[in-house]
Amino acid sequence: MTVLAGGTDLMVELNFGRRRPEHIVAIDRVGELAGIERNGHVRMGAGVTYTRMLADAGSQALAEAARTIGSPQIRNAGTIGGNLGTASPAGDTLPVLAALEATVVLRSKAGERRVPFADYMTGPKKSVRRADELIVAAEWDEAGPAQTYMFVSTRNAMAISIAGLAMVVDRARKRVGIGLGSCGPTIIRPADAEGFARGLFDEAGWERPHRPSESAAKELGRLVAAAARPIDDVRGTAAYRRHALAVMGARALSRVAQIA
Amino acid sequence: MPPTIDRRGAALRGPSAVDVALEVNGERVVVHVPPRRTLLDALREQLGLTGTKKVCDEGTCGACTVLVDGRPVYSCLTLAIACENRRVETIEGLAKDGELHPVQRAFVDTDAFQCGFCTPGQVMSIVALLRTVPQPTEDDVKRAVAGNLCRCGAYPNIVAAGVSAGRRKRT
């Protein structure tokens, strides 16, 4: 059984004969999968499109990620469940879900299973989702406004990320989450960079905005780049990815530290 | 043949051709297609609506852009059967009684095409934009056609057409 959501990945495989599934289950009209519930905790149904996330994402970083994706046509079709289902390291919502410490909700005839995002992806386009399981939602705790997503690519629209970075500073819970995309077999959480950032917020005070020093921002960028496991591929070299991650890490910290 | 229904009520259709009811440019039509057929191929091959162009067939170029329930989508990445009982609008539905749609008129007046192959997709993207943003800025138009490639490079005039179409009175 092959699940068809927005079709932005699967239809390409079908049109070029790379996959010939016997059965396709189209879920784009399943209303139960298209809801967004928010009450301090966000439950985003797998069928929520990127266009919907622009207006109501339950996360600033997720809204920014949705804005970077494709074009209006792609955003009208593609869904968060599809991004999770494809599980590409370049999936733009995935670094955000990692940084938010989101939970992936899977359902089968046997029942529901809740998988922390950190355990969900196992490799490029590989996840712990079993063939009999449907992704029904992603859930996370609302983390406040201090969060951002950024990526580098050949152009802003219609391009696959060469490297992407999400940063979430949950001031209320004193938590920093960073997710790196397109620079390893799975989405990477740079633990040393997160710890360094926590130290900066301990010092500056979690509750109020501050302007990090240039050397602190640079050090964060260095720690982010050191955690990446990038490869050379058609989109960019490993060296360029590390460089871009260092720049984005520094920039993301400077941006979110000033938001409270 | 009516769809077979399995014991839990899900409709199993295909693999042979099935009847799919669509609303295309305001008219109810039924196409007889395998469930595997894209909306793009159904429009072009079954309905003879060849204004919608097939170029990349992988959702990259935008030449196949049509509106489904008012939203621009790539018809090459959309199954015809997924549009059952939905409203599909193509370039052929825009002109009324021999009068060009304001966006089409704007494309002519600002010389917004060279070879014209990407034009139907560009026009549909801008038609969708104008319904939500009646007076778009240049940036609005650029974002609206970000998923429509023009290899002749007519972009400045396409953007100008979008902006000027917003100033036109709807006929």
Side-chain angles (χ1 to χ4, degrees), chain A:
Chain A
M1 183 188 88
T2 300
V3 177
L4 175 66
T8 57
D9 291 323
L10 179 61
M11 287 301 295
V12 178
E13 304 273 291
L14 297 184
N15 287 356
F16 286 82
R18 290 183 211 127
R19 282 178 72 180
R20 303 180 72 83
E22 196 174 339
H23 290 106
I24 288 177
V25 178
I27 58 167
D28 61 316
R29 293 204 216 190
V30 180
E32 291 88 335
L33 295 177
I36 302 175
E37 293 163 32
R38 293 180 63 170
N39 54 354
H41 185 76
V42 182
R43 181 184 170 95
M44 179 173 284
V48 170
T49 63
Y50 303 125
T51 297
R52 288 256 323 269
M53 285 175 224
L54 297 180
D56 179 18
S59 153
Q60 172 63 24
L62 192 60
E64 289 175 14
R67 196 178 147 88
T68 70
I69 290 171
S71 62
Q73 295 95 317
I74 293 288
R75 291 193 291 271
N76 283 334
T79 63
I80 190 153
N83 220 208
L84 280 165
T86 296
S88 161
D92 286 288
T93 67
L94 305 183
V96 180
L97 295 178
L100 288 166
E101 296 188 345
T103 299
V104 182
V105 185
L106 301 166
R107 197 177 291 164
S108 69
K109 283 201 286 191
E112 194 167 280
R113 191 156 74 103
R114 303 169 59 81
V115 181
F117 184 83
D119 301 330
Y120 174 75
M121 261 181 90
T122 53
K125 301 197 174 179
K126 289 192 172 68
S127 74
V128 297
R129 183 180 74 85
R130 299 190 310 260
D132 68 333
E133 285 179 313
L134 185 67
I135 300 162
V136 293
E139 297 187 9
W140 61 88
D141 291 323
E142 287 200 46
Q147 40 180 296
T148 192
Y149 175 75
M150 53 187 71
F151 81 134
V152 289
S153 195
T154 46
R155 59 180 285 225
N156 283 335
M158 294 304 295
I160 300 170
S161 152
I162 297 171
L165 180 145
M167 185 180 291
V168 173
V169 176
D170 186 334
R171 291 176 178 280
R173 292 183 182 82
K174 301 189 176 178
R175 198 184 69 73
V176 176
I178 301 174
L180 311 180
S182 297
C183 53
T186 63
I187 304 301
I188 288 172
R189 288 277 303 274
D192 291 348
E194 291 177 348
F196 175 75
R198 274 196 306 276
L200 293 176
F201 286 94
D202 280 339
E203 214 169 287
W206 285 88
E207 66 288 345
R208 54 171 202 276
H210 80 276
R211 191 182 294 272
S213 71
E214 208 171 298
S215 62
K218 212 170 163 186
E219 175 61 7
L220 185 107
R222 189 188 69 77
L223 291 168
V224 162
R229 292 162 54 203
I231 55 169
D232 294 330
D233 70 7
V234 289
R235 299 199 303 275
T237 62
Y240 175 69
R241 286 183 156 102
R242 281 192 204 281
H243 168 76
L245 286 167
V247 172
M248 288 193 293
R251 200 173 286 170
L253 175 70
S254 302
R255 187 183 291 175
V256 299
Q258 295 180 57
I259 305 169

Side-chain angles (χ1 to χ4, degrees), chain B residues 39-95:
Chain B
L39 176 62
L40 172 61
D41 286 342
L43 290 170
R44 291 179 57 86
E45 311 293 334
Q46 263 67 39
L47 296 171
L49 296 172
T50 53
T52 304
K53 301 303 183 201
K54 182 166 177 169
V55 181
C56 75
D57 214 23
E58 61 170 23
T60 298
C61 75
C64 70
T65 301
V66 302
L67 310 189
V68 174
D69 287 348
R71 286 188 295 267
V73 300
Y74 293 135
S75 60
C76 73
L77 296 187
T78 309
L79 293 175
I81 199 167
C83 299
E84 194 152 45
N85 298 314
R86 285 186 163 160
R87 220 160 18 91
V88 179
E89 295 169 79
T90 72
I91 190 76
E92 288 90 346
L94 293 184

